[in-house]
Amino acid sequence: MTILQEILNWSKGLPSWESDAIARLLAKQTLSPGDLKDLYALLKTAHGIPDAEGRTARPLADDHIPALREEAVHVELLAIKNMRNVNAIAESKRLPIGNTGLTVIYGDNGSGKSGYSRVLKRACRARDQGEPIHPNANQSIDQDGMAKAVFEIAVNGVEEDVHWINGKTPPPELSSLAIFDSRCARAYLDDEDDFSYIPYGLDVLEGLASVCIQLKSMIEIERSQYKVDPLAFKSLHGDTKVGELIANLSPETTTAQIEALATMTTEELAQHIELGNSLKENNPKEKANHLRLQARRISNIAHNAADKAALIDKGVVETLRGLADSYQIAKAAADLSANQFREDASMLPGTGGEAWRALFEAARRFALQAHPDKSFPKLGVEALCPLCQQPLAEGADRLLRFEAFIQNDAQKNAHACRTALDAKYDPFAAHVLALNLDDVTYGEIEALDPQLAIDTRAFEQAIAARHSAIKTAVESNQWGDAETDLINPALRLQTLVASLNAQADTLEAASDEQARAALQRQFDELDARVKLNQIKESVITAVSRLSHQAKLTNCLAAVKTNAISLKSAELAEKVVSQELAAALNREFKALGAGDLSVSLQSRSERGRALHKLRLEFPQRRSPGDILSEGEQRAVAIGSFLAEVGLGGSRGGIIFDDPVSSLDHLRRGLVAKRLAAESAHRQVIVFTHDIYFLCLLMEQSKIASAPITTQSLVRCAEGCGIPDPELPFEAKNVTGRIGALKAQQQFIAKLHRGHEEQEHRRQTVDAYSRLRMTWERAVEEILLRDVIQRFRKSVETNRLAGVIVEDSDYAAVNAGMTKCSNFAHDTALMGGVAVPEPDELLADIMALEAWRSQLEARSKEALKRRKK
């Protein structure tokens, strides 16, 4: 089962949004901001948050990846035909494909090559299907307008036609063909500052983990925007039903509960007013109580100011600073000890640290239960490990070493210093330094002393800032902002309280308040409901925000990457092997990237064997270096061939312009490698590069591999029309002479028809092509391909057939001179009379005669020199 099949099976147990993310990552190397927005909306919808745009998930399906191939089934592609609604490609045409060896399909820009490539990518279920297929705007389209094509194939030698329609499940037989994708492999910088190689398919899981991390960030941002201020409804607090509702406000609070308390009848509203007036008129101590309540509220603020200031005064700062300094000194000594302890290369990163210590102490406590008859850590080699529950074996000695490290004085001292710091810091950090200065109390102070009200509010903000600064300083050891002086308004507030109480003393009456308690409670209930009615919408909104926040919290749990990491490790263990590393190294060397090499690295983590393929360079480079474009292409092509070769299938492979942007040296190496591969499987190459086409033909000849060539041309009927004739530049001398003869016949017809302008243009073109043929003849016939343009090597073994006489020089010089006289703009514009068709034919025949003579002389020389 392939990696993509494994991922498909795994995805069927995932939430639909996550499976949708995998499908997108298979089709795209990097998701766009729009993709992330879609996935975020789908994630929230899955947790009860509606999507205003109504987006629906499109999970990964069987037809998104190549169908599972049986090794015993061999599929060959014989032709592509009857394309409809595919760009501007002419319909009812047939593009033949060689069933063995190499098939090269050449097409200039606009010839329809990309249309065939896009159809193949979809029909063979390649990952890269980003380029759209549009119908021909100049032709009538089928009723459904869908792109479609017929593929002639042979399955185990039995020929049949399979039909492909865009948007429907492709024929499973075509999955046997693998299409080269530049994303076949990827080098990335891992957590250990190594360039690692990811086999085809595993990058999807890497991308999925990255998507989850980005979604987590989006959730946290939105979640912070839905916080509810716990003090927003403080005016409704109290010993009433409304107060109880507000105190227990949660996502489960219903609108009906809020409406029931906030909705009041006319009678209840009248009763509220009547009770309020009665309590004022019939209570002689009203003013006194009002003043005392006011004084009590302000006194609470004064006491809070004094108490909260004491929690962050200089003494507290000095104590925390001293403890923090002691811990930093002890920790430095402990770290030195831990570094020495970790010098053992078998230790995991972090061994000896705080998290490791906590784990070890937890193991100690569990061992006392699991092995009550033994003394930890002296459990013995046969005992089960309290963590992994496997026999300790050599781990028994390691436990003793761990215990010795724990008992080290430096470690104990650091632990003790940290414990002492935490004993002071934890309760300090938990302090809530709010003065509880609500709007009502603020208004009362403001009415009596406006400046005091401003100073009190400012002091509340200042103590909160200082509290935060002290907490930061404990961690950073930067104490500047934690030692600023504060101006405490507590004394001024107490003076104001004393003044209010003095006024109340003169107004307090001696009447009994017990008789009015029931009426007061009744009034308080009604008064709270009146206030709730005034801010009812705010309360309902707060509940909605709490509910939304709870749903976002559930979303956070859904984007954890633990399961993804486990699956990635599981698949890596299956495909990352020494065999793959060796295959990659062979391919890199064959493609001229010998400076690159791959090594298998293995390590163990929590009892699991973890493997990775590390890309190594001949010299040390910084991790930030980027592979050159040529190296990237070598990694991509080499990994594709390596993984296809190890897959066990003999299915064909397809390349679309594999050497774009590569220099001529690397193109030659790629051509040589593909020609060699064509001896083992069907290889199909689409290219617009004449030079690469010639290289493929040359390398196929050297490798004695069969080669089929086709051109795609454009005419009035459309583009993508197959033509067995190659472009003039790709023909050998014999082929070029044949093409020139055909052109001469056409020129003669133009001449007879008195079409002077076209006759002149075609004649100039013919002499230009004749000059190119003379040049090619020097390489191919005279010098027997000993040297060729752009070829790095000089084939000295071909010199045996080379013989150059004065007559050869004269023939070449005469031919080139005459061609040069007419193959230029002056002749085209009428400044020079062009030769008659018969003269052109004579010049062509002169070249052919020279070629025949030279061929005969070369054969004789070769025979003579090989004796």
Side-chain angles (χ1 to χ4, degrees):
M1 186 179 296
T2 66
I3 291 180
L4 295 184
Q5 286 287 342
E6 293 265 12
I7 292 174
L8 172 63
N9 293 340
W10 177 64
S11 71
K12 292 177 180 178
L14 299 176
S16 58
W17 70 266
E18 197 166 4
S19 181
D20 185 299
I22 294 175
R24 293 175 191 245
L25 287 165
L26 277 169
K28 303 178 180 180
Q29 187 167 6
T30 303
L31 297 190
S32 67
D35 289 319
L36 287 174
K37 288 180 181 178
D38 290 344
L39 293 173
Y40 187 46
L42 295 173
L43 168 63
K44 293 197 293 183
T45 300
H47 291 85
I49 302 175
D51 177 23
E53 298 183 24
R55 284 165 282 206
T56 57
R58 299 180 62 185
L60 185 67
D62 292 355
D63 59 353
H64 288 165
I65 66 172
L68 193 60
R69 302 186 294 267
E70 299 180 19
E71 291 188 11
V73 177
H74 179 55
V75 178
E76 296 168 343
L77 179 60
L78 305 180
I80 307 171
K81 63 185 181 182
N82 299 338
M83 280 196 179
R84 291 186 62 83
N85 304 320
V86 178
N87 299 344
I89 291 180
E91 299 178 355
S92 303
K93 300 300 179 183
R94 180 180 183 274
L95 175 63
I97 307 290
N99 65 329
T100 59
L102 181 63
T103 297
V104 185
I105 300 160
Y106 171 82
D108 290 324
N109 292 332
S111 64
K113 179 175 62 66
S114 62
Y116 281 96
S117 174
R118 294 175 191 181
V119 167
L120 279 166
K121 286 179 180 180
R122 285 166 171 78
C124 300
R125 310 191 195 188
R127 284 178 59 182
D128 183 11
Q129 300 182 19
E131 296 176 307
I133 297 177
H134 299 295
N136 189 345
N138 298 320
Q139 294 181 354
S140 61
I141 60 175
D142 291 346
Q143 187 175 1
D144 58 8
M146 300 297 292
K148 56 190 66 173
V150 178
F151 291 82
E152 292 181 18
I153 62 173
V155 181
N156 290 339
V158 179
E159 296 185 8
E160 62 178 276
D161 285 357
V162 293
H163 296 260
W164 167 82
I165 300 177
N166 194 24
K168 295 186 178 181
T169 302
E173 296 87 349
L174 297 180
S175 293
S176 294
L177 301 172
I179 297 184
F180 170 70
D181 178 354
S182 60
R183 294 177 296 160
C184 288
R186 180 164 63 91
Y188 77 106
L189 185 63
D190 64 15
D191 294 336
E192 299 174 6
D193 281 353
D194 284 337
F195 272 114
S196 294
Y197 164 86
I198 301 180
Y200 187 71
L202 280 186
D203 61 306
V204 173
L205 296 183
E206 297 282 342
L208 182 60
S210 176
V211 166
C212 287
I213 292 171
Q214 293 178 77
L215 292 178
K216 178 183 178 183
S217 177
M218 295 167 73
I219 294 168
E220 289 174 339
I221 291 172
E222 183 174 345
R223 194 162 169 262
S224 68
Q225 296 169 351
Y226 277 82
K227 287 184 178 179
V228 176
D229 184 1
L231 301 178
F233 309 117
K234 188 174 181 181
S235 61
L236 299 180
H237 292 181
D239 189 16
T240 63
K241 292 181 180 179
V242 171
E244 182 181 358
L245 174 76
I246 297 301
N248 296 295
L249 213 59
S250 73
E252 285 71 37
T253 302
T254 65
T255 302
Q257 290 175 301
I258 299 171
E259 292 282 4
L261 287 174
T263 304
M264 301 182 69
T265 65
T266 305
E267 291 78 9
E268 287 174 329
L269 290 172
Q271 186 182 17
H272 172 255
I273 296 172
E274 181 181 346
L275 281 173
N277 292 333
S278 297
L279 289 170
K280 290 179 183 178
E281 293 174 358
N282 299 324
N283 187 357
K285 301 170 71 174
E286 176 189 359
K287 184 65 176 177
N289 286 338
H290 175 73
L291 290 174
R292 290 196 184 281
L293 288 173
Q294 191 177 43
R296 187 178 300 126
R297 286 192 290 271
I298 298 174
S299 179
N300 287 338
I301 301 301
H303 284 114
N304 284 344
D307 294 341
K308 304 301 183 183
L311 295 175
I312 57 171
D313 63 13
K314 290 185 177 180
V316 172
V317 173
E318 291 174 357
T319 299
L320 287 173
R321 185 170 186 175
L323 290 171
D325 289 343
S326 297
Y327 171 66
Q328 292 297 330
I329 295 171
K331 184 176 181 297
D335 287 346
L336 179 61
S337 174
N339 288 335
Q340 296 172 347
F341 174 64
R342 284 194 295 266
E343 286 181 354
D344 186 343
S346 65
M347 298 294 184
L348 290 174
T351 302
E354 294 291 337
W356 175 87
R357 180 186 291 276
L359 177 65
F360 188 81
E361 292 301 331
R364 183 197 302 278
R365 292 193 296 273
F366 180 71
L368 295 177
Q369 299 179 24
H371 304 289
D373 57 335
K374 297 182 180 180
S375 175
F376 186 87
K378 299 178 180 180
L379 301 180
V381 295
E382 299 299 327
L384 297 182
C385 175
L387 292 177
C388 69
Q389 301 193 14
Q390 298 294 322
L392 279 170
E394 65 180 18
D397 291 335
R398 188 175 287 114
L399 280 180
L400 296 176
R401 290 175 57 203
F402 288 169
E403 179 66 8
F405 172 76
I406 291 292
Q407 299 303 324
N408 181 277
D409 288 342
Q411 299 297 323
K412 283 187 175 181
N413 185 39
H415 182 66
C417 290
R418 182 69 202 194
T419 301
L421 175 59
D422 290 344
K424 289 290 185 181
Y425 175 78
D426 289 347
F428 170 83
H431 290 324
V432 178
L433 298 186
L435 299 183
N436 296 326
L437 180 61
D438 57 76
D439 292 341
V440 174
T441 307
Y442 181 88
E444 291 173 341
I445 298 173
E446 186 179 42
L448 298 169
D449 188 341
Q451 187 58 48
L452 179 57
I454 294 172
D455 293 344
T456 303
R457 181 74 81 191
F459 177 75
E460 184 176 40
Q461 296 170 351
I463 60 174
R466 178 161 175 166
H467 183 240
S468 176
I470 294 172
K471 290 193 291 183
T472 301
V474 168
E475 299 299 331
S476 67
N477 209 27
Q478 302 294 323
W479 293 87
D481 295 336
E483 296 178 333
T484 56
D485 293 327
L486 302 176
I487 301 176
N488 195 332
L491 184 59
R492 292 160 62 195
L493 290 169
Q494 289 291 7
T495 301
L496 181 59
V497 169
S499 174
L500 292 172
N501 283 326
Q503 295 177 50
D505 289 340
T506 62
L507 297 172
E508 190 171 17
S511 61
D512 185 4
E513 294 294 328
Q514 293 180 358
R516 306 173 61 83
L519 290 176
Q520 186 64 53
R521 285 194 295 273
Q522 189 177 0
F523 174 78
D524 290 343
E525 288 286 352
L526 292 171
D527 191 56
R529 292 176 63 191
V530 169
K531 293 177 180 177
L532 175 62
N533 181 267
Q534 294 170 351
I535 59 172
K536 176 183 66 175
E537 295 304 323
S538 296
V539 176
I540 292 174
T541 299
V543 172
S544 175
R545 293 172 71 86
L546 288 171
S547 176
H548 191 88
Q549 195 176 49
K551 293 172 182 176
L552 289 173
T553 300
N554 293 335
C555 290
L556 273 178
V559 296
K560 291 183 178 179
T561 59
N562 306 62
I564 301 171
S565 299
L566 288 173
K567 190 63 182 179
S568 181
E570 174 191 333
L571 294 180
E573 192 169 350
K574 292 182 179 180
V575 300
V576 176
S577 63
Q578 190 64 52
E579 185 181 14
L580 176 57
L584 287 167
N585 287 330
R586 287 195 300 271
E587 296 296 344
F588 291 166
K589 184 176 180 180
L591 294 170
D595 287 347
L596 288 175
S597 64
V598 175
S599 63
L600 178 67
Q601 293 192 345
S602 303
R603 60 186 176 89
S604 177
E605 182 176 305
R606 298 181 182 179
R608 290 176 58 95
L610 301 180
H611 310 288
K612 73 175 181 180
L613 291 171
R614 182 175 182 270
L615 276 174
E616 297 179 336
F617 300 92
Q619 67 275 358
R620 186 170 183 81
R621 301 184 184 181
S622 67
D625 284 347
I626 301 174
L627 296 172
S628 71
E629 188 171 358
E631 289 170 328
Q632 291 177 29
R633 181 65 62 161
V635 168
I637 297 176
S639 62
F640 173 75
L641 293 171
E643 293 181 26
V644 166
L646 294 178
S649 169
R650 294 186 297 115
I653 53 178
I654 302 171
F655 293 83
D656 181 16
D657 275 332
V659 295
S660 59
S661 76
L662 294 185
D663 59 37
H664 67 281
L665 295 178
R666 288 193 183 276
R667 291 183 199 181
L669 292 171
V670 172
K672 181 178 180 180
R673 180 64 187 88
L674 296 185
E677 187 66 23
S678 70
H680 309 293
R681 68 178 76 245
Q682 187 179 31
V683 178
I684 303 167
V685 179
F686 288 84
T687 184
H688 70 282
D689 189 329
I690 285 285
Y691 175 62
F692 185 54
L693 167 62
C694 295
L695 287 174
L696 289 169
M697 295 169 63
E698 178 187 359
Q699 290 299 329
S700 293
K701 182 179 179 181
I702 294 173
S704 299
I707 182 170
T708 302
T709 57
Q710 287 285 331
S711 292
L712 296 177
V713 298
R714 186 185 188 102
C715 64
E717 189 178 356
C719 65
I721 299 175
D723 184 352
E725 288 291 324
L726 289 175
F728 187 82
E729 294 82 358
K731 295 178 183 291
N732 59 16
V733 172
T734 302
R736 292 185 184 192
I737 290 174
L740 284 168
K741 287 180 179 179
Q743 187 176 12
Q744 187 274 340
Q745 293 178 7
F746 178 64
I747 291 172
K749 183 179 179 182
L750 292 173
H751 185 260
R752 289 192 299 271
H754 304 289
E755 298 183 37
E756 292 301 327
Q757 186 173 355
E758 183 62 16
H759 162 255
R760 175 177 292 276
R761 191 187 70 79
Q762 287 287 339
T763 302
V764 170
D765 179 67
Y767 272 100
S768 177
R769 298 171 81 181
L770 183 57
R771 181 175 61 183
M772 293 169 56
T773 307
W774 274 107
E775 291 173 347
R776 176 60 183 152
V778 170
E779 291 182 20
E780 179 185 329
I781 308 301
L782 182 62
L783 299 181
R784 309 296 293 177
D785 284 329
V786 171
I787 57 173
Q788 287 184 1
R789 278 172 286 190
F790 303 113
R791 190 175 68 192
K792 185 177 180 180
S793 62
V794 176
E795 303 293 336
T796 56
N797 60 322
R798 296 176 181 268
L799 283 171
V802 174
I803 181 168
V804 181
E805 298 180 353
D806 292 346
S807 59
D808 298 320
Y809 163 75
V812 173
N813 185 58
M816 288 293 294
T817 300
K818 184 168 185 180
C819 291
S820 298
N821 289 334
F822 304 110
H824 50 67
D825 292 343
T826 303
L828 185 62
M829 296 173 63
V832 176
V834 297
E836 297 290 317
D838 290 344
E839 185 178 350
L840 171 61
L841 179 59
D843 291 335
I844 296 171
M845 297 306 294
L847 171 59
E848 184 174 31
W850 176 75
R851 180 194 65 79
S852 298
Q853 295 171 7
L854 191 58
E855 285 278 11
R857 290 208 322 266
S858 293
K859 288 180 181 179
E860 291 178 4
L862 181 63
K863 183 178 179 180
R864 184 174 63 254
R865 292 169 179 172
K866 289 292 187 179
K867 287 183 178 180

